[in-house]
Amino acid sequence: MVTVGFHASHEQISPGQLLKDVQHAERAGFDAAMCSDHIEPWSARQGHSGFAWSWLGAALATTKLRFGVVTAPGQRYHPAIIAHASATLAGMFPGRFWMATGSGENMNEHITGDAWPPKETRQRRLEESVEVIRRLHRGEEVTHHGLVTVEQARIWEVPDTPPQLIAPAISVETARRAAAWADGLVTVNQPAGKLKEMLAAYRGNGGRGKAILQVHLSWAPGEDEATAVALDQWRTNTFDPPIPWDLPTAGHFDGVGNHVGEDQVRKTVNISASLDRHVEWLAGYADLGFDELYLHFVGQEQERFIDTFAGEVLPQLRPSPALATSAAATGAAADRGTGA
């Protein structure tokens, strides 16, 4: 059965309200949650960007959900700091925290004043950071000189079970390369053919763990409202790399997004007033092989979306009790027949 989670967008919602939203999502019936980790929003119209790591402690403590975060060790964050923060959360909330470690975006990383490296350099820096984090999570003392520098670092609060390090990927090549180090793969909704290629590239090169999809969507009772929400809030997120990697501020994103229209936004956001259409999209992603779907309603007011999707969409993505019982009985019979 596919896991259906709630995506908490720090760029769009204040941390206090976002905490209420994720608590609401749990009460309504969502299975899990994940969040972004930005210092800069994608647009001045979004207008928020709380510190994800502070928020995660509060969210984990006040819900029973499993949480993930998409983060970027190597420039804004030293990998030892990310190792320390993630180890503490994993120790306090065993089995409930994972992080997706990516190569980052200039909009968040330029604040250090360091040069923004080319993609290949960023990718190698990420891979070094991942190795540093894993060693620290094992309790080792780490000294490392490379694209990141670490001197005699050690974490004294080592979790019994380290958090999974999931690979965030947009391209087939990044998915293929991540198979060497990742505990799973996370990407965003794209055309089905592209998603199939990404999954095949990851699995075909030995990639293990769950396949996770963050789904950008806009729903409202009327098509015009659903479209208007997506255009207002997400038109700055419609560009192919390297634009989202390299622009430095929300102002730059607003500048390039000024002339983005409905057709372009619909390539990035699943927009429909029809709940049945959203069910079709989500069921299609599960059929491709994604184990977990995190729904990101791109509007800033989450209450109506949470209640409506929990009541009318999530049940259609889950087997009925009778079907689940039948499947369990069939599996048990098969086990007895094979002596398993």
Side-chain angles (χ1 to χ4, degrees):
M1 182 177 70
V2 66
T3 293
V4 184
F6 172 79
H7 176 70
S9 179
H10 282 286
E11 308 94 294
Q12 297 179 273
I13 302 167
S14 69
Q17 181 59 51
L18 199 57
L19 184 61
K20 295 175 183 176
D21 289 338
V22 79
Q23 292 166 348
H24 183 182
E26 179 187 38
R27 291 193 303 270
F30 282 78
D31 302 316
M34 66 177 288
C35 73
S36 50
D37 178 11
H38 276 231
I39 198 165
E40 182 98 3
W42 297 102
S43 166
R45 293 184 308 280
Q46 294 176 349
H48 296 280
S49 211
F51 187 51
W53 293 92
S54 300
W55 184 88
L56 280 162
L60 282 157
T62 58
T63 71
K64 296 181 179 179
L65 297 175
R66 184 167 48 86
F67 277 82
V69 61
V70 182
T71 191
Q75 186 160 330
R76 176 172 49 129
Y77 294 134
H78 192 281
I81 299 300
I82 291 297
H84 195 189
S86 57
T88 295
L89 289 178
M92 293 174 68
F93 307 103
R96 290 180 53 206
F97 174 72
W98 56 270
M99 60 179 176
T101 47
S103 59
E105 293 137 348
N106 192 26
M107 67 189 302
N108 299 308
E109 310 307 319
H110 75 272
I111 63 166
T112 65
D114 295 331
W116 181 234
K119 174 60 175 175
E120 174 59 24
T121 303
R122 300 198 305 271
Q123 195 64 39
R124 289 190 286 111
R125 182 174 68 182
L126 167 64
E127 289 159 2
E128 288 185 22
S129 296
V130 166
E131 179 59 24
V132 167
I133 292 167
R134 289 199 188 281
R135 291 180 63 193
L136 290 168
H137 282 171
R138 292 195 293 265
E140 297 179 25
E141 182 181 286
V142 177
T143 294
H144 174 89
H145 294 166
L147 291 170
V148 293
T149 300
V150 187
E151 291 287 349
Q152 294 182 295
R154 179 182 173 187
I155 290 174
W156 289 82
E157 295 295 336
V158 177
D160 293 335
T161 302
Q164 290 186 317
L165 304 187
I166 308 296
I170 298 297
S171 71
V172 173
E173 178 53 37
T174 300
R176 180 181 296 112
R177 185 166 178 167
W181 63 262
D183 297 319
L185 181 74
V186 60
T187 187
V188 296
N189 55 291
Q190 301 182 70
K194 174 77 173 294
L195 293 175
K196 286 181 181 178
E197 283 188 69
M198 292 184 68
L199 290 174
Y202 182 71
R203 299 295 188 202
N205 285 275
R208 62 189 184 274
K210 293 182 177 180
I212 300 168
L213 188 69
Q214 182 189 120
V215 182
H216 303 305
L217 66 92
S218 187
W219 168 84
E223 194 75 16
D224 288 347
E225 182 183 355
T227 302
V229 167
L231 275 169
D232 178 68
Q233 285 293 296
W234 216 247
R235 68 173 181 260
T236 51
N237 297 70
T238 59
F239 302 99
D240 293 329
I243 290 174
W245 296 339
D246 291 346
L247 293 184
T249 68
H252 288 84
F253 279 92
D254 278 329
V256 298
N258 275 338
H259 303 294
V260 170
E262 178 181 340
D263 289 346
Q264 188 169 340
V265 173
R266 285 184 178 274
K267 294 177 181 178
T268 303
V269 182
N270 291 345
I271 303 172
S272 181
S274 167
L275 293 171
D276 288 340
R277 185 71 183 102
H278 285 286
V279 170
E280 290 174 8
W281 276 320
L282 296 171
Y285 297 137
D287 289 343
L288 289 176
F290 286 97
D291 305 292
E292 300 187 2
L293 307 176
Y294 288 84
L295 310 190
H296 174 209
F297 169 58
V298 299
Q300 293 182 295
E301 302 294 331
Q302 297 289 309
E303 183 175 2
R304 183 175 63 179
F305 154 72
I306 290 171
D307 288 338
T308 302
F309 272 61
E312 301 188 45
V313 173
L314 269 59
Q316 297 188 64
L317 301 173
R318 296 164 174 160
S320 67
L323 184 59
T325 301
S326 175
T330 300
D335 288 346
R336 288 194 297 273
T338 59

